[in-house]
């Protein structure tokens, strides 16, 4: 046997069971993601991608997107002249976090083989695999949501161990000494995940609140620290947005973009309850668009862009922003059902399993995997004094975005076909829509909590719940990527279906024994008698 092979074999044998699982998942997922990366080298683009590159390459930094992600794009362009390094880093991070989720699931009693299968399936799916090579701020947003999911699994494991020890010793749970390493493992994942969610998207605050409060209620002995982490990261993000970014010359987003959802709500309410609008209300509305637009195209609740499209005068919306917000407040007070109905309709991507009517642009908005002519002629058309009429061709990096240069044309053709075929109506609900995966995650987690007779395992559903409710609260259109987090977390939740009382009893009985690889069966949370939770550490409890 060659020396190199023997060295690898010995190194593999020295790894713990968790180490072998993590490395296996990382290498397998990265191999698949490298195929996507090579097929769409240097990246997949959207109009947002062009916005990022134009902003960072022309000195027009605006906080309407993510300044942190813009900075990563700037570093990649300045350092290498391309964005390939950034998209490669995204694939590496995805593989790392998938490996971490796999290990976390294995620690709570899921078979390693099923965690490997779920991770590979996640990156094989065109929605998730190609997503990781997009030049989009949503990619790191989803990646850090995955890290929060792993942290919530560890938090559930920690809480289960405290419940077990309290029952075994006959003391109150709060009197059980903290398992410091387990607490740190959960806390740093959740805190780092919160930070990533908040710096890579401007609307991550509701998700953080829901997850932090849920952990406070479910995880005794550590819940307050999770809440503090949520508050601290939220304050940090607000300080960056309100003070630090403006101090270094970052422009605030246009007001017409900030209040677009409020404008769309008003339009729906005007169509549904026109008699509730006073002459003063109508005067405010006519200052920015004809009433025919307010009651017509703008009242389409499926897509807020329809409301903000011509003849809506966006500069006038900016000038009359305070009056429009006051009108929205009055509408919310008078006819709250109209505003709630508009939000639910517009957020159908978050809760609907199938698409809405195509005629009203209610169908799933899926980005095709190549550069379109409309992107190449992209113009930042917001009428604003700072960069009105600026064209993407003015960017010195326009050539980077002009076309893809796949490392294999044949692979690129195959991947295009694969993505488009999966976007047909027959497969769309399963591959590209996150709602079905959110519901599946909830069902699987609730089943685990029932099987193990412990509510602490509900920590596993908190990330999906937070992400889904955030989209329901404020969503502009039926864009599939807004539910990408619940989609990938849902796929990684599938191995929870293998958790059964019989398997838990088998694990509990084999705690002191050696596994088939010769390692102690350690780091696996399994239930003891009468629903008690125990932690298998390789030693008798």
């Amino acid at each position: 046997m060659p020396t190199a092979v023997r060295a690898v074999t010995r190194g593999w044998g020295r790894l713990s069971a968790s180490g072998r699982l993590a490395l296996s998942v990382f290498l397998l997922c990265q191999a698949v993601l490298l195929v996507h990366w090579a097929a769409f080298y240097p990246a997949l683009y959207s109009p947002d991608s062009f916005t990022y590159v134009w902003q960072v390459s022309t000195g027009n930094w605006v906080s309407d997107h993510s300044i942190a992600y813009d900075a990563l794009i700037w570093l990649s362009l300045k350092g290498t002249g391309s964005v390939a390094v950034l998209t490669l880093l995204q694939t590496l991070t995805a593989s790392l976090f998938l490996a971490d989720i796999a290990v976390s699931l294995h620690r709570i009693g899921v078979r390693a083989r099923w965690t490997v299968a779920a991770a590979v399936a996640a990156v094989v799916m065109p929605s998730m695999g190609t997503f990781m090579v997009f030049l989009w701020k949503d990619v790191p947003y989803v990646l850090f949501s995955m890290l929060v999911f792993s942290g919530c699994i560890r938090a559930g494991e920690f809480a289960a161990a405290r419940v077990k020890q309290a029952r075994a010793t006959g003391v109150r749970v709060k009197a059980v000494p903290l398992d410091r390493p387990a607490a740190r493992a959960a806390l740093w994942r959740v805190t780092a995940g919160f930070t990533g969610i908040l710096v890579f998207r401007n609307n991550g605050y509701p998700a953080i609140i829901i997850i932090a409060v849920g952990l406070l209620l479910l995880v005794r002995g550590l819940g307050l620290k999770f809440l503090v982490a949520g508050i601290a990261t939220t304050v940090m993000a607000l300080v960056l947005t309100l003070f630090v970014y403006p101090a270094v010359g970052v422009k605030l987003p246009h007001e017409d973009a900030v209040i677009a959802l409020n404008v769309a709500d008003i339009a729906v309410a005007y169509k549904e309850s026109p008699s509730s609008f006073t002459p003063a209300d109508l005067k405010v509305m006519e200052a920015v668009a004809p009433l025919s637009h307010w009651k017509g195209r703008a009242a389409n609740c499926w897509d807020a862009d329809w409301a903000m499209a011509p003849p809506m005068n966006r500069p006038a919306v900016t000038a009359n922003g305070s009056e429009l917000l006051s009108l929205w407040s009055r509408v919310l007070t008078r006819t709250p059902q109209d505003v709630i109905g508009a939000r639910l309709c517009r957020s159908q991507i978050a809760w609907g399993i199938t698409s809405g009517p195509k005629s009203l642009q209610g169908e799933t908005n899926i980005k095709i995997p190549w550069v379109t002519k409309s992107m190449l002629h992209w113009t930042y058309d917001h009428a604003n004094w700072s960069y009105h009429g600026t064209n993407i061709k003015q960017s010195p990096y326009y050539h980077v975005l002009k076309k893809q240069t796949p490392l294999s044309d044949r692979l690129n053709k195959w991947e295009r076909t694969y993505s488009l075929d999966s976007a047909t109506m027959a497969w769309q609900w399963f591959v590209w829509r996150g709602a079905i995966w959110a519901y599946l995650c909830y069902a699987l987690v609730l089943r685990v909590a029932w099987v193990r007779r412990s509510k602490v395992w509900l920590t596993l559903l908190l990330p999906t719940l937070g992400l889904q409710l955030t989209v329901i609260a404020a969503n502009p259109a039926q864009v599939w990527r807004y539910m990408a987090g619940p989609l990938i977390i849902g796929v990684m939740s599938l191995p929870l279906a293998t958790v059964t009382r019989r398997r838990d009893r088998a694990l509990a009985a084999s705690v002191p024994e050696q596994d088939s690889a010769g390692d102690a069966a350690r780091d696996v949370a399994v239930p003891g008698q009468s629903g008690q939770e125990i932690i298998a550490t390789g030693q008798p409890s």
Side-chain angles (χ1 to χ4, degrees):
M1 183 183 294
T3 303
V5 175
R6 286 199 301 269
V8 171
T9 302
R10 285 197 300 269
W12 180 262
R14 292 192 185 102
L15 289 174
S16 65
S18 295
R20 291 197 296 272
L21 173 59
L23 186 59
S24 297
V25 172
F26 178 84
L27 292 177
L28 288 171
C29 289
Q30 189 58 34
V32 175
L33 288 172
L34 282 176
V35 172
H36 297 306
W37 184 72
F40 298 117
Y41 183 91
L44 279 168
Y45 305 114
S46 75
D48 284 351
S49 311
F50 281 52
T51 300
Y52 308 154
V53 173
W54 179 81
Q55 287 180 349
V56 304
S57 61
T58 61
N60 286 286
W61 293 66
V62 185
S63 60
D64 53 350
H65 292 284
S66 166
I67 297 301
Y69 195 64
D70 286 352
L72 293 177
I73 293 174
W74 182 83
L75 289 172
S76 185
L77 289 172
K78 288 294 183 179
T80 66
S82 173
V83 294
V85 172
L86 176 55
T87 53
L88 178 61
L89 178 62
Q90 290 175 181
T91 66
L92 290 167
T93 306
S95 298
L96 179 64
F97 288 176
L98 285 168
D100 190 55
I101 292 174
V103 171
S104 296
L105 288 171
H106 184 52
R107 289 176 62 90
I108 63 170
V110 177
R111 285 187 183 275
R113 70 188 68 170
W114 298 119
T115 66
V116 174
V120 173
V123 294
V124 167
M125 288 176 66
S127 51
M128 288 294 94
T130 59
F131 177 67
M132 297 304 172
V133 298
F134 261 102
L135 197 68
W136 245 339
K137 67 181 184 299
D138 299 83
V139 177
Y141 174 77
V142 170
L143 290 175
F144 282 96
S145 300
M146 292 161 56
L147 186 60
V148 172
F149 178 57
S150 182
C152 287
I153 299 173
R154 299 294 183 114
E157 177 192 7
F158 168 86
R162 284 175 61 81
V163 171
K164 173 261 171 180
Q165 191 170 352
R167 289 173 176 171
T169 58
V171 301
R172 298 180 65 182
V173 174
K174 64 173 59 177
V176 176
L178 291 181
D179 181 345
R180 300 293 178 182
R184 285 195 296 269
L187 191 58
W188 82 256
R189 284 171 172 80
V190 171
T191 304
F194 282 176
T195 303
I197 287 174
L198 291 171
V199 300
F200 287 112
R201 273 195 73 89
N202 295 333
N203 63 346
Y205 300 101
I208 301 304
I209 294 171
I210 293 167
I211 297 169
V213 171
L215 290 171
L216 172 66
L217 297 175
L218 293 169
V219 185
R220 295 186 184 182
L222 199 57
L224 188 58
K225 291 187 177 181
F226 285 123
L227 182 63
V228 171
I231 295 172
T233 52
T234 298
V235 171
M236 175 271 300
L238 289 173
V239 169
L240 286 174
T241 301
L242 298 177
F243 302 104
V244 177
Y245 293 158
V248 297
V250 175
K251 301 180 181 69
L252 292 174
H254 305 187
E255 190 168 2
D256 62 319
V258 174
I259 66 172
L261 297 185
N262 306 90
V263 172
D265 291 340
I266 295 171
V268 173
Y270 181 56
K271 179 181 179 180
E272 298 297 328
S273 307
S275 61
S276 66
F277 284 75
T278 67
D281 296 337
L282 299 180
K283 184 177 180 181
V284 172
M285 295 161 62
E286 286 181 301
V288 297
L291 293 181
S292 58
H293 178 65
W294 281 102
K295 187 177 284 191
R297 185 177 174 86
N300 164 39
C301 66
W302 294 90
D303 193 333
D305 288 342
W306 283 30
M308 300 306 295
M312 182 66 70
N313 187 331
R314 298 190 72 141
V317 171
T318 298
N320 294 273
S322 59
E323 289 83 359
L324 287 168
L325 282 177
S326 296
L327 172 57
W328 180 84
S329 298
R330 294 194 296 273
V331 169
L332 180 61
T333 302
R334 293 188 308 233
T335 55
Q337 71 278 4
D338 292 337
V339 175
I340 293 172
R343 295 289 170 123
L344 287 175
C345 174
R346 207 175 299 120
S347 65
Q348 195 262 0
I349 188 67
W351 53 264
I353 296 176
T354 58
S355 299
K358 186 175 182 179
S359 60
L360 296 176
Q361 264 181 243
E363 75 275 16
T364 311
N365 189 333
I366 301 171
K367 179 66 193 71
I368 56 177
W370 58 79
V371 178
T372 62
K373 290 183 179 180
S374 62
M375 289 188 207
L376 293 178
H377 294 90
W378 174 92
T379 297
Y380 212 110
D381 58 3
H382 290 297
N384 185 279
W385 56 268
S386 57
Y387 42 92
H388 172 56
T390 303
N391 195 285
I392 187 61
K393 293 181 180 179
Q394 297 176 356
S395 169
Y397 295 101
Y398 171 68
H399 66 282
V400 175
L401 303 175
K402 189 173 183 179
K403 65 177 182 178
Q404 291 170 330
T405 54
L407 302 185
S408 168
D409 291 332
R410 179 177 297 181
L411 187 60
N412 177 267
K413 182 179 180 180
W414 183 85
E415 285 264 22
R416 284 190 183 195
T417 302
Y418 179 50
S419 293
L420 291 177
D421 287 348
S422 71
T424 60
M425 293 303 296
W427 289 101
Q428 195 179 102
W429 67 276
F430 180 78
V431 178
W432 294 92
R433 293 182 68 87
I436 184 65
W437 291 101
Y439 301 143
L440 187 58
C441 174
Y442 299 150
L444 291 170
V445 173
L446 289 171
R447 179 183 170 277
V448 170
W450 177 76
V451 166
R452 294 184 168 176
R453 302 294 193 271
S454 178
K455 66 180 180 181
V456 299
W457 299 108
L458 297 180
T459 58
L460 278 65
L461 62 74
L462 292 175
T464 297
L465 181 64
L467 295 171
Q468 186 181 29
L469 291 180
T470 296
V471 177
I472 290 176
N475 184 59
Q478 311 304 315
V479 182
W480 76 272
R481 61 187 166 94
Y482 295 151
M483 286 292 287
L487 199 160
I488 196 167
I489 291 174
V491 174
M492 290 305 299
S493 298
L494 288 177
L496 293 173
T498 65
V499 172
T500 63
R501 294 178 186 175
R502 178 179 297 179
R503 171 160 171 75
D504 284 343
R505 285 194 296 267
L507 282 171
S510 65
V511 166
E513 299 176 3
Q514 299 249 317
D515 65 14
S516 58
D519 290 327
R522 59 185 177 274
D523 298 336
V524 179
V526 294
Q529 297 299 320
S530 303
Q532 293 183 165
E533 303 291 342
I534 66 173
I535 295 294
T537 59
Q539 301 294 329
S541 59

